[in-house]
Amino acid sequence: MRLRRKGGGDSWSRFFWCTLFVVFSCVLFTGFTFSSFRLFFGEKYKPLVVPAWRKPAMEAVSGESVAPRAISVREVVIFPDQAVAFLDYPPSARLLTKEDLHCAYFLAKSSEPQLELPPIAVDGEDAHDQIVRCPLQSHDARVALRLRSDGGVLSGPTHKWDSLVYEALIDHDNTTVVFIKGLNLRPERVSNASKFECMYGWDFRTSKFLLRGEVLSIAQEIVRCETPLSVLSSGAYGGNRSVKVSVRVKGGGLIFHSIAQPTHKLAASSGRSKAHDMCVCTMVRNQARFIREWVMYHFKIGVERWFIYDNNSDDDIETLIDSLNDAGYNVSRHAWPWIKTQEAGFAHCALRARSACEWVGFIDVDEFFHMPTSIDLGEVLRNWSASGSVAELRVSCHSFGPSGLKQAPRQGVTVGYTCRVAHPERHKSIVRPEALNSSLINVVHHFHLRDGFEFVNMDRGVMVINHYKYQVWEVFKDKFYRRVATYVADWQEEQNVGSKDRAPGLGTRAVEPPDWSSRFCEVQDTGLRDRILRVFANPQTRILPWQERDGDDDDNNKNRQRGCA
């Protein structure tokens, strides 16, 4: 009897401890599982979606160790002439180069590529913003990347460029500034924010795990959203890069496709003096050969910092900018693959420049500030800064023509082109970025300002812009073939034929008019040319600094230019 009770006690004891172990294990497992799904409550998450047709994860390309997860293509965006793939890197992985990759093209239901081509470019020096640009062969084919080393295929979801949330920034007030294509809102007007809402999450195919944010303002391509506190507390703009933001029309509207991760927290303007009195923002496509003259000239008159938004250039602009920085000029390049988004790019630049620049000018690389009386740009800005309420200087543009030339002038545009249209065309702006309206509305290079601030039209005797718009045919044709402006994507297509973005009388024919070299010549204007030759030219050789490749280095040129009267 005692033996039976003893055995029964052992059995009960074993049952009790086994049950306790199972319960404890379940609690641990359940806690771990639920913690992994805490999307916005302080827990970090990094889900990885791998398409079914993708090959097994590749080994780390560093050659030293196996990465915790594979390099992948986060998103692919299809443009009219190329596909842009956004890469997602694991920690410590080596950045891929153009030599590491092929662009692979898959037909429907095909698991093997039908064609492989080298990339146009691999852009970006940071694992968080590297992109691969591939030539587009067919809008029906899937575009992926194949690693040359092991044949592994990198792929991701595909989106069309013209209906997409493509950029997002967390502003200093914790709102999210969202850039979106496809809303088709009226230009230069604030739209009804109550009709829209912002959505935060990582998978917009279902609203189950999404958070909503109120739309505070919406205009053109820019939406300002109230960022949910849980998104801010999760550090989405810092360590957790999986959270994306999108926009939805209320009342059951579809959520826009999005590749925008709000990953940058912008600094507020401090009360102290900023690092730079005058900065310039511009957007370019294949304009590298003109940038040296543009930067060196504007440095002389007082510009201290340049923000260049590169709209898919393939003319080795990176090397040119590196050489300018090596010479001491403060020039940064920002890859901006989004076409027909110049106003949005300028708004993006204004936000980035706000904490460092008192004033920011928005001009193209064929536009040059000119002070006819030789007054210093810094003096002009200081005078208007003292007013307190003036936050935008609108500067008239004089449009110059080919001036009788058949070939691009060797000494640069400021010396070569001396004949212009009589009356100004449009204006461009210099603004105080902290005074911009929160909607960031800007049209034709001028912004809306906050209440209490005003603009002034600059006296053309004090400051004007020489716009070398209609250059020799070779240059003009390239400029208007695939320009970055909003309204004309390709001047050979029948789009907005009457727009001022087109040259009067050019039409849509890719043929040089017989009288092109003499067009747009109503007034001889040699004011800037004369100053350039007097101030910049080498006294012995008469060579201008942007012509010099050998001999004097750029540092000596730069010091000499600062000393010129």
Side-chain angles (χ1 to χ4, degrees):
M1 199 64 181
R2 282 193 297 266
L3 290 174
R4 192 178 300 121
R5 284 197 300 269
K6 183 177 180 180
D10 289 342
S11 298
W12 173 255
S13 176
R14 284 194 299 270
F15 175 79
F16 173 80
W17 288 110
C18 287
T19 302
L20 185 61
F21 176 79
V22 170
V23 171
F24 183 72
S25 300
C26 289
V27 170
L28 287 178
F29 176 78
T30 302
F32 174 79
T33 302
F34 277 102
S35 66
S36 66
F37 284 94
R38 290 178 185 173
L39 178 55
F40 297 108
F41 295 92
E43 299 293 331
K44 294 184 177 180
Y45 64 99
K46 293 187 177 180
L48 178 63
V49 179
V50 181
W53 59 277
R54 177 180 165 181
K55 292 191 176 182
M58 58 170 280
E59 302 241 327
V61 295
S62 62
E64 298 178 357
S65 61
V66 176
R69 61 185 175 90
I71 296 173
S72 63
V73 172
R74 178 164 51 89
E75 321 271 356
V76 176
V77 179
I78 303 298
F79 292 92
D81 59 349
Q82 63 183 295
V84 178
F86 294 78
L87 299 187
D88 189 15
Y89 281 84
S92 73
R94 176 180 69 84
L95 294 183
L96 298 175
T97 67
K98 187 176 179 180
E99 288 68 33
D100 294 322
L101 296 165
H102 279 298
C103 297
Y105 303 86
F106 293 78
L107 297 179
K109 299 181 180 180
S110 172
S111 60
E112 291 297 326
Q114 305 301 305
L115 178 67
E116 294 189 14
L117 296 171
I120 299 172
V122 176
D123 204 348
E125 298 179 355
D126 187 286
H128 297 316
D129 61 9
Q130 194 176 42
I131 63 176
V132 181
R133 293 166 43 210
C134 292
L136 191 62
Q137 295 298 301
S138 169
H139 288 272
D140 297 328
R142 294 181 315 211
V143 181
L145 303 177
R146 184 186 286 279
L147 293 164
R148 292 186 178 185
S149 58
D150 62 2
V153 174
L154 312 180
S155 65
T158 298
H159 313 285
K160 293 183 178 180
W161 74 277
D162 56 354
S163 180
L164 183 69
V165 176
Y166 57 90
E167 294 275 354
L169 296 170
I170 301 289
D171 207 351
H172 66 88
D173 59 359
N174 288 333
T175 59
T176 306
V177 181
V178 178
F179 297 83
I180 178 172
K181 291 290 294 185
L183 285 177
N184 299 320
L185 303 178
R186 298 185 68 178
E188 207 169 358
R189 292 195 180 181
V190 175
S191 296
N192 186 351
S194 65
K195 295 182 178 180
F196 303 88
E197 59 185 346
C198 292
M199 311 298 292
Y200 294 80
W202 75 81
D203 185 354
F204 296 114
R205 291 173 297 181
T206 174
S207 60
K208 187 175 182 181
F209 295 109
L210 299 181
L211 287 182
R212 291 174 172 82
E214 180 185 356
V215 172
L216 304 177
S217 67
I218 182 167
Q220 298 179 171
E221 294 186 10
I222 301 174
V223 183
R224 188 178 288 269
C225 311
E226 185 179 64
T227 313
L229 292 177
S230 48
V231 173
L232 295 171
S233 64
S234 71
Y237 52 82
N240 191 341
R241 301 185 58 87
S242 296
V243 177
K244 295 195 295 187
V245 60
S246 187
V247 175
R248 178 166 66 180
V249 180
K250 289 182 179 179
L254 294 176
I255 302 175
F256 273 77
H257 288 267
S258 174
I259 67 166
Q261 298 175 331
T263 54
H264 300 285
K265 177 70 176 288
L266 298 171
S269 298
S270 65
R272 301 185 300 274
S273 177
K274 297 183 182 179
H276 310 295
D277 290 330
M278 177 65 180
C279 304
V280 166
C281 287
T282 195
M283 187 176 292
V284 301
R285 179 183 171 93
N286 291 337
Q287 299 289 300
R289 58 177 166 165
F290 303 112
I291 291 177
R292 282 175 64 89
E293 177 184 8
W294 185 73
V295 167
M296 289 180 175
Y297 168 78
H298 283 104
F299 176 84
K300 166 59 184 164
I301 68 170
V303 176
E304 301 165 298
R305 174 84 163 83
W306 292 261
F307 297 85
I308 295 180
Y309 277 52
D310 182 4
N311 191 228
N312 299 320
S313 297
D314 53 15
D315 59 352
D316 201 21
I317 186 175
E318 300 96 326
T319 300
L320 181 279
I321 291 176
D322 287 344
S323 71
L324 288 170
N325 283 315
D326 289 343
Y329 300 95
N330 192 349
V331 185
S332 65
R333 172 182 169 271
H334 183 79
W336 187 263
W338 320 112
I339 63 175
K340 299 175 70 175
T341 58
Q342 191 171 44
E343 282 85 358
F346 281 174
H348 191 278
C349 186
L351 290 173
R352 292 177 59 217
R354 181 181 55 205
S355 63
C357 306
E358 290 284 354
W359 294 88
V360 182
F362 295 87
I363 59 174
D364 300 331
V365 296
D366 60 357
E367 296 172 332
F368 290 72
F369 289 112
H370 172 42
M371 277 64 68
T373 61
S374 298
I375 188 174
D376 182 72
L377 176 60
E379 184 177 348
V380 174
L381 298 180
R382 285 190 294 272
N383 289 340
W384 288 112
S385 295
S387 72
S389 62
V390 173
E392 181 179 19
L393 310 180
R394 296 188 175 181
V395 187
S396 298
C397 299
H398 283 308
S399 296
F400 282 71
S403 304
L405 301 180
K406 297 285 188 179
Q407 296 180 339
R410 294 177 56 190
Q411 290 183 292
V413 299
T414 53
V415 173
Y417 300 114
T418 57
C419 200
R420 61 172 173 82
V421 177
H423 300 290
E425 293 182 354
R426 296 178 173 173
H427 63 264
K428 299 296 175 71
S429 294
I430 305 173
V431 305
R432 298 171 65 181
E434 70 273 8
L436 300 184
N437 186 282
S438 62
S439 67
L440 298 173
I441 289 180
N442 67 99
V443 178
V444 194
H445 302 228
H446 72 265
F447 287 82
H448 287 198
L449 303 175
R450 292 191 289 129
D451 291 342
F453 293 95
E454 60 183 342
F455 69 86
V456 296
N457 292 312
M458 294 297 297
D459 186 327
R460 293 201 293 272
V462 175
M463 183 189 298
V464 71
I465 288 175
N466 280 13
H467 184 188
Y468 300 101
K469 181 176 182 178
Y470 309 117
Q471 299 186 34
V472 296
W473 178 255
E474 170 202 356
V475 175
F476 179 84
K477 181 177 65 174
D478 291 342
K479 174 183 176 181
F480 271 77
Y481 175 70
R482 181 67 71 185
R483 60 176 298 162
V484 298
T486 303
Y487 305 108
V488 180
D490 186 336
W491 64 267
Q492 295 182 81
E493 295 180 3
E494 298 287 345
Q495 298 178 9
N496 300 312
V497 175
S499 168
K500 289 185 178 180
D501 284 311
R502 292 186 176 277
L506 181 62
T508 57
R509 298 182 60 207
V511 177
E512 179 180 0
D515 61 340
W516 179 258
S517 64
S518 61
R519 287 193 181 189
F520 318 107
C521 184
E522 298 172 353
V523 175
Q524 285 290 332
D525 184 345
T526 63
L528 185 53
R529 182 202 68 178
D530 295 342
R531 187 184 183 200
I532 291 289
L533 294 176
R534 183 179 69 252
V535 172
F536 285 88
N538 184 297
Q540 286 76 42
T541 66
R542 306 306 294 167
I543 294 176
L544 297 168
W546 43 86
Q547 292 181 271
E548 299 185 27
R549 296 290 185 264
D550 303 312
D552 291 343
D553 61 29
D554 285 336
D555 287 321
N556 291 334
N557 289 331
K558 182 176 173 181
N559 293 333
R560 184 172 66 248
Q561 292 163 26
R562 279 297 196 201
C564 291

